[in-house]
Amino acid sequence: MGYTQEAPVTPSTAELKAQHGVSDAAQLAVLKTSEAVSDALVDPGNRLVAIIGGSAMSEPGGRVIAEGARITRLSRKHAGLIALHRASVWKPRSNPEAWHGLETTDPAGAYATLASLAIENTNVAIELAHDYHLARYGHMLSFGWFGSRSQDNQPFMHRIARRDPKLPLGIKNGLDGSIGVALERVDDINRLRTDIYKDRSRTCTQVAPAIMIFRGGEEIRTPRKWRSAYVRALEATEGRLIVDTAHGSEMAHDPEGEFGKTVEGQKRALQTVLDVASEGYVPAGIMMEASDIGVPNPEHRTGSPMPLDDALEGAAALYELKVPTPTPSPYAGVNRASSAMAAA
């Protein structure tokens, strides 16, 4: 069975916004969360951003909203831990005819669920892959990211960065595991947004940063190689990095050594992140695929999410390793500025 790769044109974005309104007060609360995320990414200090949720939203409504409440409670327990709900309604797939997310098969349900999450929790995060994503969902988002497949589409990244300069953005490293292009994109967007700030100095009080998301890759196939590559990425960014425990990271930690996606592999990747953090190398954020919601349609399976409680406990443990920040910092003496935004 073939699926569309984009949301159907009907219902339109205007119709969805009219049917599922997000009040000005709710949008202001969303903006405050995104500003808190921006502050934590530019100057992590004793703060940590945790992006937790399923690989892709597979159903609308109640169970997704209930998981969002559990994720949000993590922030209430830890003052410096900003928990965001990974609630992507679109998902990249290697097979162009595969299912690409709930917005492609139930656009109204996907939109209504995101609206409820934004209103109730103000902490929605999704992958951005099409221009309409920002136009349709931007007012509900506290964080957005570009997947590895978008790396070569620099004009698209620039359009998103310009259209909403207050939305913090993540850029995943290359599918092969390389970080060079991602770092260039990060610096490029941060310079672009710094220029926007200067041009709009009278009306724009803050622009959000871009930051790299390290997700491993095809050339990093063992836990030892992954750990070394991850530490190098941390040093290259002076800790201003989000680590993704799924994708290439979980595959490098496959307990069978076959570079496959498994729940146990992601758990082992999380443990490596904690082990590295215990040595003082703590990232600005962590992203995990975690959900207790099963996928009724096997064609909609897109990953191997770990149990939600494991991810919540892992985020809390990583935050506790960060507070207080270890001294002296292991990033001392690293010459490369992580981004133009940090220096602005």
mmCIF file of all heavy atoms in Angstrom, residues 22-54:
data_model
loop_
_atom_site.group_PDB
_atom_site.id
_atom_site.type_symbol
_atom_site.label_atom_id
_atom_site.label_comp_id
_atom_site.label_asym_id
_atom_site.label_seq_id
_atom_site.Cartn_x
_atom_site.Cartn_y
_atom_site.Cartn_z
ATOM 1 N N VAL A 22 -6.002 27.863 19.120
ATOM 2 C CA VAL A 22 -5.061 27.992 20.236
ATOM 3 C C VAL A 22 -5.057 29.462 20.620
ATOM 4 O O VAL A 22 -4.671 30.319 19.823
ATOM 5 C CB VAL A 22 -3.650 27.527 19.842
ATOM 6 C CG1 VAL A 22 -2.685 27.689 21.010
ATOM 7 C CG2 VAL A 22 -3.674 26.075 19.369
ATOM 8 N N SER A 23 -5.510 29.779 21.805
ATOM 9 C CA SER A 23 -5.695 31.164 22.214
ATOM 10 C C SER A 23 -4.389 31.937 22.236
ATOM 11 O O SER A 23 -3.300 31.355 22.271
ATOM 12 C CB SER A 23 -6.340 31.224 23.602
ATOM 13 O OG SER A 23 -5.430 30.752 24.586
ATOM 14 N N ASP A 24 -4.512 33.268 22.252
ATOM 15 C CA ASP A 24 -3.318 34.110 22.344
ATOM 16 C C ASP A 24 -2.558 33.825 23.632
ATOM 17 O O ASP A 24 -1.324 33.825 23.653
ATOM 18 C CB ASP A 24 -3.719 35.584 22.292
ATOM 19 C CG ASP A 24 -4.223 36.015 20.919
ATOM 20 O OD1 ASP A 24 -3.975 35.270 19.947
ATOM 21 O OD2 ASP A 24 -4.858 37.082 20.831
ATOM 22 N N ALA A 25 -3.305 33.571 24.716
ATOM 23 C CA ALA A 25 -2.656 33.287 26.003
ATOM 24 C C ALA A 25 -1.861 31.987 25.926
ATOM 25 O O ALA A 25 -0.741 31.895 26.447
ATOM 26 C CB ALA A 25 -3.704 33.207 27.113
ATOM 27 N N ALA A 26 -2.433 30.988 25.265
ATOM 28 C CA ALA A 26 -1.726 29.716 25.131
ATOM 29 C C ALA A 26 -0.488 29.875 24.252
ATOM 30 O O ALA A 26 0.571 29.307 24.545
ATOM 31 C CB ALA A 26 -2.649 28.658 24.543
ATOM 32 N N GLN A 27 -0.603 30.663 23.185
ATOM 33 C CA GLN A 27 0.553 30.889 22.315
ATOM 34 C C GLN A 27 1.653 31.648 23.050
ATOM 35 O O GLN A 27 2.838 31.393 22.828
ATOM 36 C CB GLN A 27 0.118 31.658 21.067
ATOM 37 C CG GLN A 27 -0.760 30.841 20.137
ATOM 38 C CD GLN A 27 -1.106 31.584 18.861
ATOM 39 O OE1 GLN A 27 -0.233 32.122 18.186
ATOM 40 N NE2 GLN A 27 -2.394 31.627 18.527
ATOM 41 N N LEU A 28 1.270 32.549 23.923
ATOM 42 C CA LEU A 28 2.270 33.262 24.721
ATOM 43 C C LEU A 28 2.985 32.304 25.669
ATOM 44 O O LEU A 28 4.206 32.390 25.858
ATOM 45 C CB LEU A 28 1.600 34.384 25.511
ATOM 46 C CG LEU A 28 2.526 35.217 26.407
ATOM 47 C CD1 LEU A 28 3.614 35.895 25.581
ATOM 48 C CD2 LEU A 28 1.715 36.271 27.180
ATOM 49 N N ALA A 29 2.246 31.352 26.237
ATOM 50 C CA ALA A 29 2.858 30.359 27.121
ATOM 51 C C ALA A 29 3.821 29.465 26.346
ATOM 52 O O ALA A 29 4.895 29.103 26.843
ATOM 53 C CB ALA A 29 1.776 29.519 27.792
ATOM 54 N N VAL A 30 3.444 29.104 25.118
ATOM 55 C CA VAL A 30 4.331 28.321 24.259
ATOM 56 C C VAL A 30 5.618 29.097 23.985
ATOM 57 O O VAL A 30 6.728 28.542 24.036
ATOM 58 C CB VAL A 30 3.624 27.970 22.936
ATOM 59 C CG1 VAL A 30 4.624 27.419 21.916
ATOM 60 C CG2 VAL A 30 2.504 26.964 23.181
ATOM 61 N N LEU A 31 5.472 30.387 23.718
ATOM 62 C CA LEU A 31 6.642 31.227 23.448
ATOM 63 C C LEU A 31 7.563 31.281 24.665
ATOM 64 O O LEU A 31 8.792 31.237 24.529
ATOM 65 C CB LEU A 31 6.200 32.626 23.045
ATOM 66 C CG LEU A 31 7.310 33.645 22.767
ATOM 67 C CD1 LEU A 31 8.215 33.168 21.643
ATOM 68 C CD2 LEU A 31 6.710 35.006 22.435
ATOM 69 N N LYS A 32 6.999 31.358 25.846
ATOM 70 C CA LYS A 32 7.817 31.403 27.059
ATOM 71 C C LYS A 32 8.616 30.106 27.221
ATOM 72 O O LYS A 32 9.782 30.125 27.645
ATOM 73 C CB LYS A 32 6.935 31.657 28.277
ATOM 74 C CG LYS A 32 6.395 33.083 28.349
ATOM 75 C CD LYS A 32 5.578 33.297 29.616
ATOM 76 C CE LYS A 32 5.087 34.740 29.712
ATOM 77 N NZ LYS A 32 4.261 34.976 30.923
ATOM 78 N N THR A 33 7.985 28.979 26.883
ATOM 79 C CA THR A 33 8.716 27.715 26.944
ATOM 80 C C THR A 33 9.853 27.701 25.935
ATOM 81 O O THR A 33 10.977 27.275 26.243
ATOM 82 C CB THR A 33 7.778 26.531 26.687
ATOM 83 O OG1 THR A 33 6.760 26.503 27.694
ATOM 84 C CG2 THR A 33 8.542 25.210 26.711
ATOM 85 N N SER A 34 9.581 28.162 24.709
ATOM 86 C CA SER A 34 10.636 28.178 23.693
ATOM 87 C C SER A 34 11.778 29.103 24.096
ATOM 88 O O SER A 34 12.947 28.816 23.818
ATOM 89 C CB SER A 34 10.069 28.584 22.327
ATOM 90 O OG SER A 34 9.676 29.940 22.305
ATOM 91 N N GLU A 35 11.470 30.200 24.777
ATOM 92 C CA GLU A 35 12.525 31.093 25.256
ATOM 93 C C GLU A 35 13.359 30.419 26.337
ATOM 94 O O GLU A 35 14.582 30.592 26.393
ATOM 95 C CB GLU A 35 11.903 32.391 25.768
ATOM 96 C CG GLU A 35 11.345 33.277 24.661
ATOM 97 C CD GLU A 35 10.630 34.516 25.187
ATOM 98 O OE1 GLU A 35 10.337 34.555 26.408
ATOM 99 O OE2 GLU A 35 10.369 35.431 24.393
ATOM 100 N N ALA A 36 12.707 29.631 27.191
ATOM 101 C CA ALA A 36 13.450 28.895 28.216
ATOM 102 C C ALA A 36 14.365 27.855 27.563
ATOM 103 O O ALA A 36 15.506 27.648 27.992
ATOM 104 C CB ALA A 36 12.482 28.222 29.190
ATOM 105 N N VAL A 37 13.880 27.207 26.511
ATOM 106 C CA VAL A 37 14.699 26.251 25.773
ATOM 107 C C VAL A 37 15.899 26.965 25.153
ATOM 108 O O VAL A 37 17.038 26.500 25.243
ATOM 109 C CB VAL A 37 13.864 25.553 24.683
ATOM 110 C CG1 VAL A 37 14.764 24.714 23.775
ATOM 111 C CG2 VAL A 37 12.787 24.689 25.309
ATOM 112 N N SER A 38 15.648 28.117 24.539
ATOM 113 C CA SER A 38 16.741 28.878 23.921
ATOM 114 C C SER A 38 17.807 29.242 24.937
ATOM 115 O O SER A 38 19.011 29.078 24.686
ATOM 116 C CB SER A 38 16.185 30.152 23.271
ATOM 117 O OG SER A 38 15.350 29.839 22.170
ATOM 118 N N ASP A 39 17.387 29.723 26.089
ATOM 119 C CA ASP A 39 18.339 30.101 27.131
ATOM 120 C C ASP A 39 19.180 28.896 27.560
ATOM 121 O O ASP A 39 20.399 29.004 27.761
ATOM 122 C CB ASP A 39 17.602 30.666 28.342
ATOM 123 C CG ASP A 39 16.985 32.030 28.074
ATOM 124 O OD1 ASP A 39 17.396 32.689 27.092
ATOM 125 O OD2 ASP A 39 16.074 32.427 28.827
ATOM 126 N N ALA A 40 18.535 27.740 27.693
ATOM 127 C CA ALA A 40 19.248 26.541 28.142
ATOM 128 C C ALA A 40 20.219 26.024 27.083
ATOM 129 O O ALA A 40 21.252 25.439 27.422
ATOM 130 C CB ALA A 40 18.246 25.453 28.515
ATOM 131 N N LEU A 41 19.912 26.226 25.813
ATOM 132 C CA LEU A 41 20.783 25.745 24.751
ATOM 133 C C LEU A 41 21.978 26.665 24.535
ATOM 134 O O LEU A 41 23.076 26.217 24.218
ATOM 135 C CB LEU A 41 20.001 25.587 23.447
ATOM 136 C CG LEU A 41 18.883 24.539 23.465
ATOM 137 C CD1 LEU A 41 18.195 24.483 22.108
ATOM 138 C CD2 LEU A 41 19.408 23.169 23.855
ATOM 139 N N VAL A 42 21.763 27.972 24.697
ATOM 140 C CA VAL A 42 22.862 28.932 24.533
ATOM 141 C C VAL A 42 23.806 28.888 25.730
ATOM 142 O O VAL A 42 25.026 28.924 25.591
ATOM 143 C CB VAL A 42 22.315 30.354 24.335
ATOM 144 C CG1 VAL A 42 23.440 31.385 24.377
ATOM 145 C CG2 VAL A 42 21.582 30.457 22.999
ATOM 146 N N ASP A 43 23.241 28.802 26.921
ATOM 147 C CA ASP A 43 24.037 28.791 28.151
ATOM 148 C C ASP A 43 23.506 27.683 29.057
ATOM 149 O O ASP A 43 22.702 27.946 29.954
ATOM 150 C CB ASP A 43 23.956 30.159 28.837
ATOM 151 C CG ASP A 43 24.826 30.238 30.084
ATOM 152 O OD1 ASP A 43 25.696 29.352 30.255
ATOM 153 O OD2 ASP A 43 24.635 31.176 30.884
ATOM 154 N N PRO A 44 23.906 26.423 28.799
ATOM 155 C CA PRO A 44 23.308 25.291 29.520
ATOM 156 C C PRO A 44 23.391 25.401 31.034
ATOM 157 O O PRO A 44 22.414 25.127 31.730
ATOM 158 C CB PRO A 44 24.111 24.093 28.996
ATOM 159 C CG PRO A 44 24.598 24.521 27.660
ATOM 160 C CD PRO A 44 24.886 25.991 27.789
ATOM 161 N N GLY A 45 24.560 25.821 31.562
ATOM 162 C CA GLY A 45 24.682 25.965 33.010
ATOM 163 C C GLY A 45 24.140 24.749 33.738
ATOM 164 O O GLY A 45 24.520 23.616 33.471
ATOM 165 N N ASN A 46 23.204 24.975 34.653
ATOM 166 C CA ASN A 46 22.588 23.897 35.419
ATOM 167 C C ASN A 46 21.215 23.518 34.861
ATOM 168 O O ASN A 46 20.322 23.127 35.597
ATOM 169 C CB ASN A 46 22.444 24.305 36.890
ATOM 170 C CG ASN A 46 23.792 24.380 37.584
ATOM 171 O OD1 ASN A 46 24.769 23.807 37.102
ATOM 172 N ND2 ASN A 46 23.851 25.081 38.694
ATOM 173 N N ARG A 47 21.079 23.643 33.540
ATOM 174 C CA ARG A 47 19.803 23.308 32.894
ATOM 175 C C ARG A 47 20.005 22.197 31.868
ATOM 176 O O ARG A 47 21.088 22.033 31.321
ATOM 177 C CB ARG A 47 19.214 24.554 32.218
ATOM 178 C CG ARG A 47 18.791 25.632 33.215
ATOM 179 C CD ARG A 47 18.453 26.935 32.520
ATOM 180 N NE ARG A 47 19.631 27.575 31.952
ATOM 181 C CZ ARG A 47 19.641 28.819 31.461
ATOM 182 N NH1 ARG A 47 18.524 29.525 31.466
ATOM 183 N NH2 ARG A 47 20.743 29.342 30.970
ATOM 184 N N LEU A 48 18.939 21.472 31.612
ATOM 185 C CA LEU A 48 18.974 20.391 30.638
ATOM 186 C C LEU A 48 17.653 20.368 29.880
ATOM 187 O O LEU A 48 16.583 20.475 30.484
ATOM 188 C CB LEU A 48 19.186 19.040 31.333
ATOM 189 C CG LEU A 48 19.221 17.815 30.416
ATOM 190 C CD1 LEU A 48 20.555 17.747 29.662
ATOM 191 C CD2 LEU A 48 19.001 16.528 31.216
ATOM 192 N N VAL A 49 17.726 20.227 28.562
ATOM 193 C CA VAL A 49 16.542 20.067 27.725
ATOM 194 C C VAL A 49 16.397 18.583 27.405
ATOM 195 O O VAL A 49 17.345 17.944 26.949
ATOM 196 C CB VAL A 49 16.665 20.876 26.422
ATOM 197 C CG1 VAL A 49 15.453 20.629 25.526
ATOM 198 C CG2 VAL A 49 16.802 22.364 26.735
ATOM 199 N N ALA A 50 15.226 18.022 27.676
ATOM 200 C CA ALA A 50 14.960 16.610 27.391
ATOM 201 C C ALA A 50 13.764 16.525 26.445
ATOM 202 O O ALA A 50 12.678 17.018 26.774
ATOM 203 C CB ALA A 50 14.672 15.838 28.672
ATOM 204 N N ILE A 51 13.965 15.915 25.266
ATOM 205 C CA ILE A 51 12.922 15.791 24.251
ATOM 206 C C ILE A 51 12.535 14.320 24.190
ATOM 207 O O ILE A 51 13.322 13.476 23.750
ATOM 208 C CB ILE A 51 13.434 16.286 22.881
ATOM 209 C CG1 ILE A 51 13.977 17.710 23.019
ATOM 210 C CG2 ILE A 51 12.325 16.241 21.842
ATOM 211 C CD1 ILE A 51 14.835 18.149 21.849
ATOM 212 N N ILE A 52 11.330 14.003 24.642
ATOM 213 C CA ILE A 52 10.930 12.616 24.873
ATOM 214 C C ILE A 52 9.579 12.346 24.227
ATOM 215 O O ILE A 52 8.641 13.138 24.350
ATOM 216 C CB ILE A 52 10.845 12.322 26.385
ATOM 217 C CG1 ILE A 52 12.180 12.632 27.077
ATOM 218 C CG2 ILE A 52 10.423 10.892 26.641
ATOM 219 C CD1 ILE A 52 12.101 12.612 28.596
ATOM 220 N N GLY A 53 9.470 11.209 23.562
ATOM 221 C CA GLY A 53 8.197 10.815 22.971
ATOM 222 C C GLY A 53 8.405 9.753 21.915
ATOM 223 O O GLY A 53 9.532 9.326 21.644
ATOM 224 N N GLY A 54 7.329 9.322 21.301
ATOM 225 C CA GLY A 54 7.413 8.279 20.298
ATOM 226 C C GLY A 54 8.153 8.723 19.053
ATOM 227 O O GLY A 54 8.330 9.921 18.802
#
